[in-house]
């Protein structure tokens, strides 16, 4: 539960891309300063306006209810959330009621729909494991279809859960109060129930609820029929194969999950003066410009969040711009030169920019590894008891 809270906040926290000046702009600004050492007040005001690009690492311009970008392990992230003014330890349980409603509804509706589809098409009982069937394609098709249908039906609950977790816990800044209020506000502000289902979140929902159950249910079949590994004969090897398959599934589904969280947090602004719910004040920073879809989100995340140590570069540029009007020609030239040199040394790209698409990968990989250890110990104990 607490890991879900920290993962959700990690998924939706973008690193805003810093705008670095080009060499042509640097030369043009230097030449203009030599010609006009004392700029006109209107020009000075324009220069100050261009500096107002806020970075998520700028502590001075960050709202009080918003947390700084978090790093480190789970305990460190939880400690930051608890110590944040307006959050506290109760914020670790945001969205739990919606999560309970979603899980209970899915647990009841999905098996019932799958059993109904199997009865309609005259298939075997869905309680029989797939690995014991000769032809698994029809049963797997009904299984994926039932997961997809229920996933689309309950998709508004997923959107509400994400927004309740991400929004500020402060009563003065919270846009949504509870499940019913959030659902009514979404329908009123986003064009009705049809727009909620047919929004930009529809395609990611279809992809996720098709790929995830397909990978999960096909894992035992691949291990048993392709790798010929039996859980009863080789429990440790079977557990290792499950760990490898779960890691592969994580590599496939995690970028899609990150994109889903980002798109679910895109809330249209509706002023309170016209009966809207006001701005969506979040406890973590969101991208100021919304994504236009899955491909646009992939491109923007890889381009803007695929580098390391961008906050150091931003701070250096801000310092240069603040001192620009207060320094003489020689000092500004030398300071600009040092700034550009630091930008080149600090900015490093990681693995084709896919770093931003795999936020929380280490946390979920550690969870899968712990699950493998527990299953391995349990299998060894069962074998030991059986042999005695």
């Amino acid at each position: 539960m607490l890991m879900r809270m920290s993962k959700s906040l990690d998924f939706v926290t973008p690193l805003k891309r810093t705008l670095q000046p080009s060499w042509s702009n640097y030369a043009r600004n230097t030449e203009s300063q030599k010609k006009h050492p004392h700029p006109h007040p209107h020009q000075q005001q324009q220069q100050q306006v261009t500096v107002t690009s806020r970075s998520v690492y700028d502590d001075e311009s960050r709202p009080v209810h918003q947390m700084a970008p978090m790093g480190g392990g789970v305990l460190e992230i939880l400690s930051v959330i608890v110590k944040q003014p307006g959050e506290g330890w109760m914020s670790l349980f945001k969205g739990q009621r919606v999560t309970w409603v979603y899980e209970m509804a899915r647990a009841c509706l999905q098996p019932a729909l799958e059993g109904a589809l199997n009865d309609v098409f005259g298939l075997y009982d869905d309680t029989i494991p797939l690995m014991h069937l000769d032809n698994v394609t029809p049963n797997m098709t009904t299984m994926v279809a039932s997961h997809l249908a229920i996933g689309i039906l309950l998709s508004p609950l997923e959107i509400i859960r994400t927004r309740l977790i991400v929004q500020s816990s402060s009563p003065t800044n919270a846009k949504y109060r509870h499940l019913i209020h959030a659902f009514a506000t979404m329908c009123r502000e986003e064009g009705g129930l049809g727009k909620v289902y047919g929004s930009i979140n529809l395609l990611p929902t279809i992809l996720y609820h098709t790929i995830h159950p397909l990978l999960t249910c096909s894992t035992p079949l691949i291990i048993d029929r392709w790798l010929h590994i039996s859980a009863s004969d080789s429990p440790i090897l079977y557990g290792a194969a499950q760990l490898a398959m779960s890691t592969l599934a994580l590599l496939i589904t995690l970028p899609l999950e990150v994109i889903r969280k980002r798109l679910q947090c895109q809330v249209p602004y509706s002023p309170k003066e016209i009966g809207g719910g006001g701005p969506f004040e979040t406890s973590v920073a969101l991208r100021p410009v919304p994504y236009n879809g899955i491909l646009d989100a992939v491109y923007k995340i890889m381009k803007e969040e695929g580098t390391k140590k961008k906050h150091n570069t931003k701070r250096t540029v801000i310092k240069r711009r603040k001192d620009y009007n207060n320094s003489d020609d020689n000092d500004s030239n030398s300071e600009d030169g040092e700034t550009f040199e630091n930008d080149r040394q600090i900015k490093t790209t990681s693995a084709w920019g896919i770093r931003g698409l795999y936020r929380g990968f280490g946390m979920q990989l550690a969870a899968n590894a712990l699950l493998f250890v527990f299953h391995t110990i349990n299998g060894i104990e069962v074998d030991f008891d059986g042999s005695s």
Side-chain angles (χ1 to χ4, degrees):
M1 178 173 58
L2 299 181
M3 291 181 63
R4 184 186 295 114
M5 170 67 181
S6 60
K7 287 189 294 183
S8 298
L9 293 180
D10 197 16
F11 286 160
V12 300
T13 307
L15 302 180
K16 185 177 180 182
R17 186 167 182 258
T18 57
L19 301 178
Q20 300 181 5
S22 61
W23 284 103
S24 60
N25 293 334
Y26 164 69
R28 184 164 53 252
N29 292 334
T30 305
E31 187 66 24
S32 176
Q33 187 182 12
K34 290 181 179 179
K35 293 181 180 179
H36 306 283
H38 302 287
H40 192 272
H42 179 66
Q43 296 178 355
Q44 185 175 0
Q45 183 179 5
Q46 287 183 346
Q47 292 177 356
Q48 293 177 355
V49 172
T50 58
V51 187
T52 57
S53 178
R54 184 172 64 89
S55 172
V56 294
Y57 296 101
D58 189 3
D59 296 333
E60 298 179 356
S61 60
R62 184 184 301 112
V64 179
H65 60 269
Q66 195 173 96
M67 292 179 288
M70 295 173 287
V74 179
L75 296 180
E76 183 177 352
I77 294 176
L78 296 179
S79 176
V80 172
I81 297 174
V82 171
K83 295 179 181 179
Q84 175 69 18
E87 295 294 328
W89 66 273
M90 286 296 295
S91 64
L92 300 177
F93 301 94
K94 290 191 296 186
Q96 291 306 312
R97 295 187 183 91
V98 182
T99 301
W100 182 84
V101 172
Y102 173 80
E103 295 295 340
M104 292 299 296
R106 190 182 66 171
C108 295
L109 296 177
Q110 189 274 325
L113 180 59
E114 183 179 358
L117 292 176
N118 290 335
D119 294 338
V120 169
F121 294 102
L123 302 177
Y124 290 103
D125 187 5
D126 55 285
T127 58
I128 301 176
L130 294 177
M131 64 178 60
H132 298 300
L133 299 177
D134 296 332
N135 186 12
V136 299
T137 302
N139 291 77
M140 185 170 291
T141 301
T142 57
M143 181 269 301
V144 174
S146 61
H147 277 278
L148 176 59
I150 301 303
I152 295 176
L153 178 64
L154 302 179
S155 59
L157 293 178
E158 294 184 290
I159 300 175
I160 294 173
R161 176 181 59 184
T162 301
R163 294 182 182 180
L164 289 177
I165 293 175
V166 173
Q167 76 170 358
S168 175
S169 298
S170 175
T172 58
N173 298 316
K175 182 182 179 68
Y176 308 109
R177 295 194 297 267
H178 46 76
L179 171 60
I180 299 177
H181 177 262
F183 185 74
T185 304
M186 286 172 53
C187 294
R188 183 177 65 253
E189 295 182 352
E190 300 180 20
L193 186 60
K195 292 293 185 180
V196 173
Y197 277 104
S199 64
I200 197 174
N201 297 290
L202 179 59
L203 182 57
T205 300
I206 294 176
L207 292 177
Y208 180 81
H209 288 288
T210 301
I211 296 175
H212 186 267
L214 185 62
L215 293 175
T216 303
C217 297
S218 62
T219 296
L221 293 174
I222 295 176
I223 296 176
D224 183 73
R225 297 190 178 184
W226 289 7
L227 301 180
H228 303 287
I229 300 176
S230 176
S232 57
D233 297 336
S234 304
I236 298 179
L237 187 59
Y238 188 87
Q242 281 186 325
L243 177 61
M245 293 299 298
S246 62
T247 304
L248 178 61
L250 186 62
L251 291 172
I252 297 174
T253 59
L254 186 58
L256 185 58
E257 181 67 13
V258 171
I259 294 172
R260 288 184 70 220
K261 298 295 185 183
R262 299 288 180 88
L263 296 179
Q264 288 171 359
C265 292
Q266 294 186 172
V267 181
Y269 175 67
S270 180
K272 293 183 179 180
E273 290 76 9
I274 61 174
F280 184 50
E281 302 289 350
T282 59
S283 58
V284 293
L286 299 180
R287 192 173 189 270
V289 181
Y291 302 106
N292 295 323
I294 296 180
L295 297 180
D296 181 66
V298 171
Y299 173 74
K300 296 294 176 56
I301 292 174
M302 293 178 63
K303 183 180 179 181
E304 300 172 1
E305 305 175 35
T307 57
K308 300 179 181 179
K309 298 181 181 180
K310 280 197 164 186
H311 52 284
N312 294 334
T313 305
K314 182 63 179 179
R315 290 175 180 173
T316 305
V317 175
I318 290 177
K319 180 180 179 181
R320 180 190 65 81
R321 292 178 176 177
K322 285 183 178 179
D323 298 336
Y324 184 83
N325 294 325
N326 298 327
S327 60
D328 54 358
D329 296 344
N330 296 330
D331 293 339
S332 63
N333 291 339
S334 60
E335 192 176 12
D336 286 346
E338 293 176 359
T339 302
F340 279 103
E341 186 67 24
N342 290 337
D343 289 343
R344 286 186 170 186
Q345 292 177 357
I346 292 176
K347 184 177 179 181
T348 57
T349 305
S350 64
W352 303 289
I354 63 175
R355 174 185 175 87
L357 295 174
Y358 285 94
R359 294 187 173 276
F361 176 78
M363 186 186 307
Q364 298 196 37
L365 182 61
N368 291 340
L370 289 176
L371 188 62
F372 161 70
V373 173
F374 293 151
H375 285 178
T376 301
I377 295 176
N378 187 27
I380 293 175
E381 291 179 353
V382 170
D383 291 343
F384 181 78
D385 294 338
S387 62
S388 60

